[in-house]
Amino acid sequence: QVQLVESGGGLVQPGGSLRLSCTATGRASTMGWFRQAPGKEREFVATIRWSSNPYYADSAKGRFTISRDNAKNTVYLQMNSLKPEDTAVYYCAAGNVILSEVTNARTYNYWGQGTQVTVSS
């Protein structure tokens, strides 16, 4: 069983930046981030496979950067140029996910507790 512990959420003004971190108690080939806004379904944000190129949702491309420290079993999400529509609970996810399914939340075995990101002036 892998446990995920997230940190780094908070309140930021539009155009600001936040960095989320997620540390796993074990190894997983794929680690990523999803988010869920009130009244909406959970949606894919970004993911990175073991020593592989990252994948991003269109809404995250050019603004968010996902990275991974395999020695620390930690994944990071650097979020820049934040917009009010980025407001959501962000969830870290991990699992041994095949390449074609990395954007599908159902294929991830492990989830963090979620961290709130609020973008507001």
Side-chain angles (χ1 to χ4, degrees), residues 5-6 10 14 23 47 63 70 83 98-99 107 109 114-115:
V5 179
E6 302 148 339
T23 299
T47 195
R63 299 188 300 127
N70 291 329
K83 305 174 183 179
I98 61 175
L99 182 59
T107 61
N109 305 97
T115 185

Side-chain angles (χ1 to χ4, degrees), residues 40-59:
K40 294 187 177 181
E41 293 187 355
R42 191 168 298 190
E43 65 174 5
F44 168 74
V45 177
T47 195
I48 186 166
R49 301 181 77 228
W50 194 276
S51 300
S52 179
N53 291 334
Y55 297 87
Y56 296 97
D58 287 343
S59 59

